Amino acid sequence: MTSDSPALPTTHELRARALAGLGNLGVTVPEGGDFHARTPLTGENLFGLQAATAGDAEAAVADAHAAFLTWRSTPAPRRGELVRRLGELLREHKSDLADLVTIEAGKIRSEALGEVQEMIDICDFAVGLSRQLYGRTIASERPGHRLAETWHPLGVVGVVSAFNFPAAVWSWNTAVALACGDTVVWKPSELTPLISLACDHLLCRAADEVGAPRDVHRLLLGDRAVGERLVDDPRVALVSATGSTRMGREVGPRVAARFGRSLLELGGNNAAIVAPSADLDLAVQGIVFAAAGTAGQRCTTLRRLIVHRDIAETLVERLVAAYRRLPIGDPFDENTLVGPLISTASLDAMNSALARVQAQGGKVLAGGNRRLSQAAPRAAYAEPVLVRVDEQTDVVREETFAPILYVLTYDTLEEAIELHNDVPQGLSSSIFTRDQQEAEIFLSAAGSDCGIANVNIGTSGAEIGGAFGGEKETGGGRESGSDAWKAYMRSATNTINYSSELSLAQNVSFL
Ligand code: UN1
């Protein structure tokens, strides 16, 4: 079904806006190839770019490895100066960077600016981190001995990122990896080359300005084959990959087969429990942002709502009203809250999930229509959809990367937590309640099994200060804040004998 058409900028206008933004950033676009930058706002191509060849990938890893040999011995606080300069440049160019995020990923202005802010925040964090790469000193069992732990850089980090956070997820990895003394080769999503060129350019500029080796960062635009080279190259010490569980299932074993490390941020199927005591005003706002924000295309998007039977009718009524009022359309329009899906393939996946869940007894309560603009038939604007389901069928247990929120009901908290955890993914979760006991049970070992568990706030929109990542098929990785930096370093345990005796541990005597 289709509904009224949104007024949209033309591809020509978007091309001009992208070129103006790139111009302000000082980026020269390597136009002319058959690797296309495109925009989901109209679904059309913007320019042809040059993709990296196998030879480019080989050279990028070799150069980044050579740079690593210098960078690893640069004092960490000096390395932090590079990240500080990057943060300053991101602040200066916030608006142009946000434009590119909107043009390529379709985010509304406020979320696109938020994405750049997330980059600035992680730079600030990593600058501080560059003076806090602490190891422990451990009490030795032997007299005249000291036992200590030292953290060293790992090597080249291969960053494979997704379209939905085309810049922020790169920055979580890159700012932290650089502070830790690693160098980075980045393979961004094929769907977001322009923002990638802009980030790479600002980082190269920062490197020149602070006198860091230029090859601390290399960008490889290209398709899956380019990413595969990073996965299989033994010089790439860590592969940090964000994407689908299907992708992670291939990357993880391939990297492990060569004894490399991987850090995986894969699919989520995030749920919120809404208890009878919940503040419903707060819950409705939190739910609608988490489920319909970013057109349902965050890993942290709320996909399942588990509502207590006593309040289900009231809450659903309020959600239906909120869904009917959601402004959908041009993400550059200040009033829009829901921009386009990334592609018509995403819309097809959404429609197919909806058809399947309806065949399994699901009832659409609001939304679900395509908004078609005659001027942009290749764009995929869709109404976020609320679907009532009686049980957690296979469709509900899958991650469909689109704004579908399944609503389930429960009677006891135990049952709610069981439903909550009964999916293969384990990224983010939340409970809306005013009952402290319920909140604490949800946060306890017997509660949510996710890497992120929140109270009275939605599942999406995490701050950079905490570690970000999830369990089960989400892949187990932790990025961003807290001590996620340890994934980008290796530790060495040092035993130092400052006595004049050779004493053996475990009271062993020899000679
Ligand atoms: C992602 O969707 O890949 O917590 C990352 C959030 C954002 C990051 C999402 N800070 O929603």
Side-chain angles (χ1 to χ4, degrees):
M1 274 220 288
T2 59
S3 190
D4 55 319
S5 52
L8 298 171
T10 64
T11 304
H12 181 74
E13 286 162 350
L14 292 167
R15 189 179 293 130
R17 192 159 181 165
L19 281 174
L22 289 162
N24 293 340
L25 284 152
V27 180
T28 323
V29 183
E31 279 190 69
D34 54 6
F35 181 75
H36 283 97
R38 68 180 283 283
T39 177
L41 274 63
T42 60
E44 303 285 347
N45 287 342
L46 294 170
F47 338 96
L49 301 167
Q50 307 282 353
T53 60
D56 294 335
E58 164 59 34
V61 175
D63 293 347
H65 188 260
F68 169 68
L69 300 181
T70 321
W71 192 239
R72 67 180 173 187
S73 303
T74 304
R78 293 277 311 279
R79 300 194 298 244
E81 288 168 17
L82 169 60
V83 180
R84 181 190 307 128
R85 185 66 193 127
L86 173 63
E88 286 168 358
L89 291 172
L90 294 172
R91 280 182 168 86
E92 201 181 305
H93 293 284
K94 189 169 179 181
S95 182
D96 287 323
L97 291 164
D99 267 10
L100 295 175
V101 171
T102 298
I103 290 169
E104 288 193 302
K107 290 193 187 187
I108 61 168
R109 181 77 182 154
S110 156
E111 291 196 59
L113 286 167
E115 169 143 15
V116 185
Q117 187 59 46
E118 191 157 345
M119 302 168 77
I120 294 167
D121 293 344
I122 195 70
C123 286
D124 286 355
F125 177 92
V127 175
L129 177 69
S130 72
R131 290 185 182 268
Q132 298 177 78
L133 300 170
Y134 304 137
R136 292 188 178 91
T137 299
I138 300 134
S140 170
E141 67 190 52
R142 288 172 278 190
H145 282 62
R146 186 165 66 83
L147 202 52
E149 175 183 281
T150 320
W151 287 88
H152 298 298
L154 267 186
V156 177
V157 176
V159 176
V160 177
S161 58
F163 81 85
N164 66 328
F165 271 81
V169 170
W170 164 75
S171 71
W172 294 352
N173 283 284
T174 302
V176 171
L178 291 174
C180 289
D182 301 321
T183 57
V184 173
V185 180
W186 181 23
K187 197 301 226 183
S189 161
E190 294 157 61
L191 301 169
T192 52
L194 300 182
I195 183 70
S196 314
L197 285 166
C199 292
D200 176 60
H201 176 80
L202 291 184
L203 182 47
C204 285
R205 187 177 147 192
D208 285 346
E209 287 177 12
V210 304
R214 229 171 193 239
D215 294 328
V216 294
H217 188 258
R218 292 295 295 267
L219 170 67
L220 291 172
L221 296 183
D223 59 13
R224 183 192 157 107
V226 173
E228 287 181 354
R229 296 193 75 90
L230 297 181
V231 166
D232 293 331
D233 193 319
R235 291 166 300 182
V236 177
L238 170 69
V239 176
S240 176
T242 304
S244 65
T245 293
R246 194 196 308 166
M247 180 271 287
R249 225 186 275 287
E250 286 185 41
V251 169
R254 267 167 82 162
V255 176
R258 61 172 176 84
F259 295 95
R261 295 190 190 185
S262 55
L263 198 172
L264 301 175
E265 296 292 356
L266 312 175
N269 193 349
N270 317 298
I273 295 174
V274 189
S277 67
D279 175 335
L280 289 191
D281 289 336
L282 186 147
V284 168
Q285 284 180 51
I287 291 163
V288 177
F289 172 66
T294 334
Q297 299 172 113
R298 291 193 189 214
C299 330
T300 49
T301 290
L302 178 63
R303 309 204 179 279
R304 298 174 298 134
L305 196 61
I306 304 169
V307 192
H308 193 276
R309 199 175 300 280
D310 291 352
I311 54 159
E313 205 180 318
T314 316
L315 180 63
V316 163
E317 236 169 60
R318 294 187 58 173
L319 288 173
V320 167
Y323 267 57
R324 292 211 174 116
R325 285 196 305 269
L326 280 174
I328 300 159
D330 174 12
F332 277 119
D333 182 333
E334 296 288 336
N335 296 317
T336 298
L337 292 181
V338 181
L341 292 176
I342 193 68
S343 63
T344 47
S346 293
L347 185 63
D348 292 346
M350 177 173 173
N351 286 335
S352 137
L354 283 176
R356 283 167 61 211
V357 82
Q358 283 174 289
Q360 293 173 348
K363 288 189 188 60
V364 171
L365 304 171
N369 298 311
R370 180 176 185 182
R371 299 284 183 95
L372 194 59
S373 159
Q374 298 311 326
R378 292 201 177 89
Y381 291 83
E383 295 169 354
V385 56
L386 267 181
V387 186
R388 174 85 177 90
V389 289
D390 290 330
E391 51 175 338
Q392 211 149 244
T393 62
D394 55 347
V395 186
V396 179
R397 297 172 82 255
E398 279 164 19
E399 179 193 47
T400 302
F401 219 60
I404 305 176
L405 180 60
Y406 300 111
V407 184
L408 293 140
T409 48
Y410 77 91
D411 292 304
T412 65
L413 183 63
E414 204 186 352
E415 184 196 340
I417 291 174
E418 209 176 295
L419 271 173
H420 177 278
N421 292 345
D422 185 26
V423 291
Q425 312 82 354
L427 179 55
S428 187
S429 59
S430 81
I431 188 166
F432 287 90
T433 180
R434 286 202 199 100
D435 180 326
Q436 191 187 1
Q437 190 177 39
E438 280 186 336
E440 293 292 342
I441 290 172
F442 181 74
L443 300 178
S444 76
S448 161
D449 63 1
C450 292
I452 299 172
N454 298 333
V455 176
N456 290 331
I457 192 144
T459 51
S460 67
E463 303 174 19
I464 60 91
F468 183 96
E471 300 304 315
K472 302 192 290 186
E473 290 189 3
T474 303
R478 291 294 183 278
E479 290 178 348
S480 190
S482 185
D483 61 355
W485 61 270
K486 290 183 173 171
Y488 300 81
M489 300 195 86
R490 62 183 174 86
S491 72
T493 301
N494 313 130
T495 307
I496 302 116
N497 176 8
Y498 59 91
S499 76
S500 307
E501 310 284 320
L502 188 79
S503 49
L504 300 178
Q506 296 91 37
N507 298 324
V508 172
S509 52
F510 197 83
L511 283 183

